[in-house]
Amino acid sequence: MSNIKVFKKGDFLFREGESAKAVYFIQSGAVQLHLSRQKQTIELCILGSNQIAGEHAISGATVNPHTAVCLGEVKAIELPVDGVKTQIESASQLTKFLTKGLSDKLRVVFKELQSMKLERDNTPCPPDQTAKIFAALFHSSRLKLEGTKTNWPAAKQYAQRMFLESPKRLEQACNIFVKL
């Protein structure tokens, strides 16, 4: 079921947007989890020995929400998601309960971490991203309408979580609309 692999510096365990197929138990080395936005990476955290990368797949994520890149030589046990899920299902009720609870809690904490990191990203809007940012604003406003006015905090949060767009960049785009 498991496969011990050795990765070199710069190797990817998985990339953002790709299908989530494996969970990695890091035995040695360091792995950086980051988001890729425009030509910039936003570091989320660094994982080391006895930590897990790719656990989001266990709780139902079908694609990787971030990238995992090796910062040096990394030795990790690669486990297929289906095999891990089978093991969890065959475990005791207490183990299932603990695994589900910790997984849900970790997902919430990681989403908050991602939101905080994106909140601090104040990179100006590059021309190749303008259409995406305005589309995120349009769809966020359209789905979060309250009467004739948009609830800005709700629309901003929706755009941030659904389109992974920096709130400062969204605000800059709104300022362009105001100036027009």
Side-chain angles (χ1 to χ4, degrees):
M1 181 174 137
S2 67
N3 187 11
I4 298 175
K5 290 192 171 185
V6 177
F7 299 91
K8 296 177 185 166
K9 180 179 181 175
D11 285 350
F12 295 94
L13 299 182
F14 51 83
R15 294 180 194 241
E16 182 178 353
E18 289 180 348
S19 179
K21 297 178 182 177
V23 177
Y24 298 87
F25 290 97
I26 302 166
Q27 293 184 320
S28 65
V31 175
Q32 178 193 56
L33 301 183
H34 69 258
L35 299 170
S36 297
R37 297 295 174 266
Q38 288 76 42
K39 294 173 182 155
Q40 175 188 14
T41 59
I42 301 169
E43 181 183 304
L44 296 173
C45 65
I46 296 178
L47 304 175
S49 296
N50 300 317
Q51 292 186 310
I52 302 169
E55 73 287 342
H56 51 270
I58 297 170
S59 59
T62 56
V63 295
N64 297 311
H66 47 265
T67 298
V69 64
C70 299
L71 298 177
E73 184 176 281
V74 171
K75 187 176 179 183
I77 299 173
E78 181 183 60
L79 298 169
V81 173
D82 295 335
V84 174
K85 285 182 178 179
T86 302
Q87 288 291 319
I88 292 170
E89 287 302 315
S90 66
S92 70
Q93 281 300 106
L94 177 61
T95 303
K96 285 187 214 178
F97 177 73
L98 287 172
T99 303
K100 170 113 173 74
L102 290 171
S103 177
D104 290 347
K105 184 177 181 181
L106 182 60
R107 185 175 53 245
V108 168
V109 169
F110 218 85
K111 278 215 178 262
E112 287 301 316
L113 172 66
Q114 187 171 324
S115 292
M116 286 175 17
K117 295 283 186 164
L118 286 170
E119 182 78 37
R120 285 191 267 165
D121 177 26
N122 59 359
T123 309
C125 177
D128 62 330
Q129 293 295 312
T130 304
K132 178 186 177 259
I133 292 167
F134 284 107
L137 276 174
F138 170 77
H139 290 292
S140 300
S141 297
R142 190 169 151 235
L143 292 173
K144 293 295 178 180
L145 284 177
E146 292 179 0
T148 58
K149 292 186 179 184
T150 299
N151 176 347
W152 174 245
K156 180 171 74 169
Q157 182 181 34
Y158 181 81
Q160 186 177 3
R161 291 180 189 225
M162 294 304 293
F163 300 105
L164 300 174
E165 202 51 69
S166 164
K168 290 186 182 190
R169 199 171 296 126
L170 292 169
E171 221 168 300
Q172 291 170 349
C174 281
N175 288 337
I176 291 171
F177 279 135
V178 170
K179 288 178 183 177
L180 292 174

